[in-house]
Amino acid sequence: MSRKNYLFTSESVSEGHPDKVCDQISDAILDAFLANDIKLGIEDDSQTNTRLGCETLTTTNKIVVAGECRGQEPLLKKFNGHTVMNREMITEIARGVVKDIGYDQDGFSWHGADVEVLLHGQSPDIAMGVNAKKKKGGEEEGAGDQGMMFGFACTESEVYEKGSYMPAPIFFAHKILRTLSEQRRAGKLFDLQPDAKSQVTVQYVDGKAVGCTKVVVSTQHNAQNRNGKKYTPGMVRDLIETAVESSLPKGWMPKRPSDFLVNPTGNFVVGGPDGDCGLTGRKIIVDTYGGYAPHGGGAFSGKDPTKVDRSAAYAARYLAKNVVAAGLADKCTIQVAYAIGVADPMSLLVDLHGSGKVDERKLEKILPEMFRLTPTNIRRTLRLNRPIYRRTAAYGHFGRAPDKDGGFSWEKTDLAGQLKKAF
């Protein structure tokens, strides 16, 4: 029997966290490649469109971009008869991301950081397995790698934000940092700097989220306020408390001062990549469900949609969310697994955690019939070959509203009606 009364904690990090700076640079580079494909009219040509596995590292005034790619001019150009990376263009993309985040500090600056670009061509062995092959019913791309991916959805955040279908701890950890970022950018919290982390502990009673027992926020700040007074943790607490409380449901803010911790180390002036080295893909639990549900083996950022680490995790979330939105369960986890170069998944699992109103085995049969889980169908149906990825690289890939331009397409619930009819 599952527990009904317990505490659960999730964390989030801001767009200025060193690892998230790297995720955003990698995804901004991916967006540039995909936008170029659209401009050239080749976004759905398996033989010539973008392939990218882009990793970024940041440290004190240094940005290193590495990985493998396939693309077209002007991002790649000819030099002495060879195709080489347009390093100047990639450098400007990286600097633009850092500028937008807000870093112009002595130890890490958008214009002062040295940028090294080490991208190279994709392995022909990998390309051979991924390129579309003719099959009955058309062409199918093989999966870009082996691995297992998970999708999850639940109803517990619906009371507070309709359509999110996310666990409350990660949902509110993200919301706190988004609020602080918005107010920093708007000039209301002008003494804050971009790097920040949050941690929210939610109390569950009879299986339902009822409030926060602990909230932790660490946020980078100026050394002094505008009156020349050195910041203390208490002053930072006073600065952000109203914004943090506004991010939580009424009555959820911990009442005791000892349960709302702000900058527990006592100081947070040196931050971002100057304070800690950043790397793409190190915040995968922040990117998904905050530890409340499983995560597969791979990160998302910097990977084009042939990489099932990303696209199949989006598809699994899409199906899980539609199952819950259709009223078939209060919780749903979906696992899907692939082999490199093979289009069809190796396995599919549906787990409704005892909250289901239908047979899980029937869902395992019906879901792939409604939505084929091949890389080609996932990419085309969710329209993933578009420049929609940098926006995913901070504050979570899930629980976001679908954008008018098709961003976060995996958050749509347009299969819910079909699922209701099927049952």
Side-chain angles (χ1 to χ4, degrees):
M1 176 183 278
S2 62
R3 291 180 63 185
K4 295 289 187 181
N5 303 316
Y6 56 94
L7 302 178
F8 194 90
T9 302
S10 293
E11 72 157 348
S12 180
V13 299
S14 72
E15 78 264 31
H17 185 280
D19 296 329
K20 279 292 151 201
V21 173
C22 295
D23 285 345
Q24 289 168 92
I25 290 172
S26 292
D27 273 341
I29 292 167
L30 173 61
D31 282 350
F33 272 86
L34 295 173
N36 196 49
D37 285 352
I38 291 171
K39 184 178 178 181
L40 298 173
I42 60 168
E43 69 269 25
D44 201 32
D45 184 346
S46 171
Q47 308 302 316
T48 60
N49 65 0
T50 288
R51 298 283 166 74
L52 186 69
C54 179
E55 313 294 342
T56 303
L57 177 146
T58 57
T59 187
T60 302
N61 270 332
K62 182 75 174 182
I63 301 170
V64 180
V65 178
E68 68 285 341
C69 67
R70 180 181 76 184
Q72 306 298 324
E73 292 185 3
L75 286 152
L76 279 78
K77 57 186 181 179
K78 294 290 185 181
F79 181 76
N80 289 340
H82 298 283
T83 301
V84 298
M85 181 59 56
N86 188 331
R87 287 177 169 79
E88 294 81 7
M89 188 170 278
I90 300 298
T91 296
E92 288 308 304
I93 292 169
R95 291 194 191 283
V97 170
V98 175
K99 182 179 182 181
D100 179 64
I101 292 169
Y103 278 116
D104 191 6
Q105 303 166 359
D106 290 341
F108 192 70
S109 166
W110 66 271
H111 56 82
D114 176 52
V115 182
E116 191 171 358
V117 180
L118 302 174
L119 285 167
H120 59 80
Q122 184 186 39
S123 160
D125 294 342
I126 294 176
M128 178 176 60
V130 176
N131 284 345
K133 300 173 180 65
K134 288 186 178 179
K135 298 180 73 175
K136 279 186 178 181
E139 292 190 338
E140 286 287 359
E141 295 162 351
D145 204 349
Q146 71 174 45
M148 73 290 187
M149 298 83 211
F150 290 91
F152 177 77
C154 64
T155 57
E156 66 183 53
S157 64
E158 285 303 280
V159 177
Y160 310 107
E161 185 145 344
K162 199 159 180 63
S164 58
Y165 292 100
M166 288 290 285
I170 188 66
F171 180 82
F172 290 112
H174 286 323
K175 192 171 182 181
I176 287 169
L177 293 186
R178 284 202 311 270
T179 301
L180 293 179
S181 175
E182 288 163 4
Q183 294 195 15
R184 172 179 67 85
R185 289 172 176 273
K188 294 178 182 178
L189 295 175
F190 45 78
D191 278 342
L192 297 188
Q193 292 293 324
D195 194 358
K197 300 177 79 169
S198 67
Q199 187 170 285
V200 173
T201 300
V202 172
Q203 183 177 18
Y204 288 80
V205 176
D206 198 24
K208 297 188 181 301
V210 298
C212 293
T213 61
K214 302 279 185 181
V215 173
V216 183
V217 177
S218 297
T219 179
Q220 187 187 13
H221 56 85
N222 294 335
Q224 300 176 333
N225 65 16
R226 295 198 174 182
N227 296 321
K229 191 170 183 180
K230 184 179 177 181
Y231 266 109
T232 65
M235 290 169 64
V236 177
R237 176 196 172 102
D238 292 342
L239 183 68
I240 69 171
E241 186 168 11
T242 300
V244 172
E245 186 169 7
S246 73
S247 305
L248 298 172
K250 188 175 181 179
W252 276 40
M253 188 70 173
K255 298 294 187 292
R256 296 186 304 177
S258 59
D259 293 336
F260 175 39
L261 286 74
V262 176
N263 288 4
T265 63
N267 207 35
F268 195 177
V269 174
V270 178
D274 186 30
D276 193 9
C277 180
L279 190 65
T280 298
R282 283 204 300 204
K283 286 292 175 283
I284 57 175
I285 302 304
V286 172
D287 284 342
T288 54
Y289 309 104
Y292 197 93
H295 189 294
F300 298 158
S301 290
K303 296 178 180 178
D304 73 82
T306 67
K307 275 75 170 175
V308 285
D309 277 343
R310 180 171 221 163
S311 57
Y314 290 171
R317 160 66 178 177
Y318 173 65
L319 293 179
K321 186 172 181 178
N322 276 272
V323 166
V324 176
L328 305 183
D330 293 327
K331 288 183 180 180
C332 178
T333 297
I334 290 178
Q335 188 207 49
V336 62
Y338 292 86
I340 188 168
V342 181
D344 291 307
M346 301 290 101
S347 66
L348 172 69
L349 170 73
V350 177
D351 183 358
L352 302 182
H353 304 278
S355 72
K357 302 171 180 64
V358 297
D359 189 332
E360 290 156 328
R361 289 167 296 183
K362 188 174 180 183
L363 270 173
E364 289 169 355
K365 180 176 183 297
I366 286 175
L367 288 174
E369 294 172 356
M370 287 186 177
F371 184 91
R372 290 191 66 222
L373 286 162
T374 63
T376 301
N377 186 64
I378 293 170
R379 178 175 59 77
R380 288 176 176 169
T381 304
L382 297 180
R383 300 186 64 202
L384 298 180
N385 269 41
R386 291 168 299 158
I388 56 173
Y389 293 104
R390 189 200 152 182
R391 70 191 78 168
T392 70
Y395 310 115
H397 293 245
F398 308 127
R400 314 277 288 269
D403 292 328
K404 289 182 179 179
D405 67 354
F408 298 102
S409 59
W410 49 93
E411 292 295 309
K412 295 187 295 184
T413 54
D414 51 351
L415 278 183
Q418 282 181 255
L419 282 165
K420 283 181 181 179
K421 288 180 181 178
F423 288 92

